[in-house]
Amino acid sequence: FKMLLIFAFLLSACHKEDLDGYSLSADEFTQGVIQEQNFQMALIARLKQNPSSAMLLSVGKTREIFIQDYQQELVAMNFSDERPHMRPLSEDQLNLLTSIDFSAGLEYEKAIIKMLDDSDQNMIALHIRASSNSGLADPQLRGWTEMKLPQLRNNLKETQNSK
């Protein structure tokens, strides 16, 4: 009887019955990642204006393709009415961009790379939260977010290697 009770307890702890118990809706997730990626696109556009190396230009082009593909996949899954062109940058993101727009040269480039690094970490954190048992309610979207983690970690590694 004790074993059955322990088994029932463990089973109930692993299964999520309360749909309101999830910490992230599909709309919240979609809005968050699209806004973060739009910020990355703004950073990449600035970086591509005058890159100090071919490697930085390559990282920018590769990232643009990744973001476009990512957003197309996300929109195609139809979990949200959110569309990439409809999500404006946050006030904080706009302030960050404004703060670096008055810089130049390597200082400017370093600031962009630092912000891109921080943004990559934000994307990874969003996906870890979304893919957790208490993250997204939809198992398909939750699985997709988990599948994207290796690519996002690779993006972070590329950003860090470009410093």
Side-chain angles (χ1 to χ4, degrees), residues 68-134:
Q68 290 167 358
D69 291 348
Y70 179 104
Q71 289 184 354
Q72 286 176 353
E73 283 181 46
L74 187 59
V75 168
M77 287 191 294
N78 226 8
F79 285 103
S80 172
D81 292 332
E82 188 71 25
R83 297 295 178 254
H85 64 279
M86 296 170 48
R87 177 63 26 201
L89 299 179
S90 71
E91 188 175 328
D92 288 344
Q93 290 169 329
L94 290 171
N95 289 338
L96 286 170
L97 292 174
T98 301
S99 73
I100 63 166
D101 283 343
F102 297 104
S103 303
L106 288 178
E107 179 185 318
Y108 179 70
E109 201 169 83
K110 285 180 183 180
I112 291 172
I113 293 169
K114 168 74 171 99
M115 288 180 197
L116 192 55
D117 184 292
D118 292 345
S119 182
D120 286 342
Q121 291 182 38
N122 290 342
M123 285 292 292
I124 291 169
L126 277 166
H127 282 71
I128 289 172
R129 179 177 171 210
S131 64
S132 74
N133 286 339
S134 62

Side-chain angles (χ1 to χ4, degrees), residues 31-75:
Q31 289 168 8
V33 295
I34 287 176
Q35 187 173 57
E36 199 65 48
Q37 287 183 329
N38 287 347
F39 179 59
Q40 288 187 4
M41 291 294 275
L43 291 168
I44 291 164
R46 285 163 171 76
L47 189 61
K48 286 174 50 179
Q49 288 174 356
N50 194 12
S52 65
S53 70
M55 185 179 103
L56 283 175
L57 189 59
S58 176
V59 167
K61 287 179 180 180
T62 302
R63 184 65 59 88
E64 282 178 326
I65 292 167
F66 171 79
I67 290 171
Q68 290 167 358
D69 291 348
Y70 179 104
Q71 289 184 354
Q72 286 176 353
E73 283 181 46
L74 187 59
V75 168

